[in-house]
Amino acid sequence: MNGLVIDVAGINKRFGDKHVVKDLSLQVRQGEIYGFLGPNGSGKTTSIRMLCGLLTPDSGRGTCLGLDVLRESAAIKRQVGYMTQKFSLWDDLSIGENLDFVARMFGMRERQKAIDRSLDELGLSGRRRQLAGTLSGGWKQRLALAACLLHQPRLLLLDEPTAGVDPKARRDFWEEIHRLSAAGITILVSTHYMDEAERCHRLAYIAYGSLLANGTASEVVAGCRLSTWEVSGDGVHRLAEDLRGMAGVDQVASFGATLHVSGQDGARLQASLQALSQLREVRITTVAPSLEDAFIHLMQHAQDPFAD
Ligand SMILES: Nc1ncnc2c1ncn2[C@@H]1O[C@H](COP(=O)(O)OP(=O)(O)OP(=O)(O)O)[C@@H](O)[C@H]1O
């Protein structure tokens, strides 16, 4: 398998006349946590579903777990754990019953042993008899993770696993993801959260079906070649509109009490901000661009083929 758990090139998917995944090429190494980011509807779920054998690509080539993504989807499906965006277990079954149902679906032998191991690993043993419907969001995610780990997959595909979950539960969930990665399990995870993106070993940014950037978080930021300045001072947010029209300013974003002003033409941006600071009571400081600055930049430069 060459150390690559996912190795695909030129993958495409259309739904009717909508081309939702365009020439996706992706390599993910064993044990890596690989993040998928991008605006709503950019094709993240569709890509994940093609990689785990739930959807067949229209064209392209490549392998997942050494199996052909076009011809061996059934075998891929058996070896991956897929956690969907929406909680899809049964609210009126207990945690133990839900896991037993999933184990039966996979036709697993020694079901009880697998269920006990999974409950134990995810700290769910004490709640075995609790109805799933009565769990908080964070515990539901933990149960969903336990269910997709039951058959001991080598690859996990997690589609926005922590949407709507509180920060403490998200942090615990990510500790678990890192523990699994350290044990050699490869994880592909889609998220809209910047802090989660930064916890991935590498990530890809997708917009309108095209992969616009990939690499480590710092490689993605560096690849955008942005200069970023922090502008602070009383009433600074009222200046946002004026700033947007200035030479060298590509984007303005609010960060708490300050504005992040970024552009690719560093010299023009600096000249504009220095001129502004002489006219208004504002402080300007050059800062390192954040991952969020980079994603906003990528998004602004992407073309929406469905826009009027
Ligand atoms: N089965 C389907 N039939 C028709 N169109 C679909 C189907 N599945 C997805 N789409 C469309 O494909 C596009 C990409 O959807 P997808 O769910 O892959 O995006 P996403 O990046 O995961 O979005 P989100 O962040 O909102 O989950 C959207 O325009 C969606 O409406």
Side-chain angles (χ1 to χ4, degrees):
M1 215 165 31
N2 213 6
L4 292 177
V5 167
I6 295 171
D7 186 10
V8 297
I11 296 284
N12 284 281
K13 188 74 192 173
R14 290 173 189 271
F15 291 118
D17 57 1
K18 257 190 175 179
H19 195 174
V20 300
V21 176
K22 298 171 191 158
D23 281 329
L24 175 71
S25 296
L26 192 69
Q27 274 93 34
V28 182
R29 302 178 201 120
Q30 200 212 326
E32 196 164 38
I33 304 175
Y34 197 97
F36 254 35
L37 284 103
N40 293 123
S42 58
K44 301 182 294 296
T45 301
T46 308
S47 301
I48 287 177
R49 291 176 142 242
M50 286 194 284
L51 295 172
C52 69
L54 283 175
L55 270 178
T56 307
D58 295 339
S59 60
R61 65 190 158 75
T63 56
C64 178
L65 294 165
L67 296 160
D68 190 292
V69 286
L70 270 87
R71 291 182 288 105
E72 295 176 291
S73 52
I76 295 175
K77 232 183 301 187
R78 281 194 291 275
Q79 291 189 46
V80 300
Y82 174 41
M83 188 167 155
T84 55
Q85 251 176 46
K86 222 170 148 273
F87 183 69
S88 48
L89 295 170
W90 287 266
D91 279 345
D92 49 0
L93 291 186
S94 70
I95 287 183
E97 288 166 341
N98 265 299
L99 293 181
D100 189 54
F101 187 90
V102 173
R104 283 172 196 269
M105 275 197 325
F106 276 103
M108 288 173 64
R109 281 189 228 114
E110 301 194 68
R111 285 197 311 276
Q112 206 48 54
K113 217 163 136 189
I115 293 168
D116 289 345
R117 186 192 59 233
S118 175
L119 287 169
D120 191 41
E121 279 175 6
L122 288 153
L124 288 163
S125 298
R127 295 175 181 257
R128 177 183 210 120
R129 286 182 187 79
Q130 187 172 344
L131 291 185
T134 65
L135 294 170
S136 68
W139 284 104
K140 275 189 175 166
Q141 297 312 84
R142 206 158 259 263
L143 169 58
L145 184 61
C148 69
L149 285 168
L150 264 185
H151 63 300
Q152 297 190 287
R154 291 149 61 206
L155 170 65
L156 273 182
L157 299 163
L158 310 176
D159 198 358
E160 293 183 38
T162 61
V165 171
D166 72 51
K168 166 76 170 72
R170 286 209 288 131
R171 176 170 289 199
D172 292 347
F173 192 89
W174 273 85
E175 289 304 316
E176 194 55 43
I177 305 267
H178 275 275
R179 189 184 67 74
L180 293 166
S181 146
I185 297 176
T186 309
I187 296 148
L188 189 64
V189 53
S190 75
T191 176
H192 288 292
Y193 296 114
M194 292 303 121
D195 60 321
E196 296 192 344
E198 278 162 359
R199 285 170 191 247
C200 296
H201 297 128
R202 284 194 301 146
L203 43 95
Y205 187 83
I206 302 180
Y208 309 122
S210 299
L211 194 151
L212 300 184
N214 66 343
T216 63
S218 40
E219 283 167 359
V220 169
V221 174
C224 292
R225 297 192 312 279
L226 284 180
S227 293
T228 298
W229 291 73
E230 208 170 72
V231 181
S232 58
D234 282 346
V236 75
H237 294 281
R238 285 196 294 276
L239 293 179
E241 270 318 304
D242 297 346
L243 276 162
R244 286 196 178 95
M246 287 182 179
V249 176
D250 294 342
Q251 69 188 52
V252 180
S254 297
F255 273 72
T258 65
L259 295 175
H260 266 208
V261 185
S262 303
Q264 281 188 311
D265 186 338
R268 289 181 85 196
L269 175 63
Q270 183 170 3
S272 289
L273 291 175
Q274 276 168 348
L276 177 81
S277 68
Q278 280 158 15
L279 293 171
R280 308 283 187 115
E281 287 284 301
V282 290
R283 285 180 301 284
I284 58 168
T285 325
T286 176
V287 293
S290 67
L291 197 53
E292 188 167 319
D293 294 321
F295 288 160
I296 294 171
H297 167 82
L298 289 168
M299 183 57 208
Q300 277 183 341
H301 289 78
Q303 294 285 323
D304 180 355
F306 305 116
D308 294 332

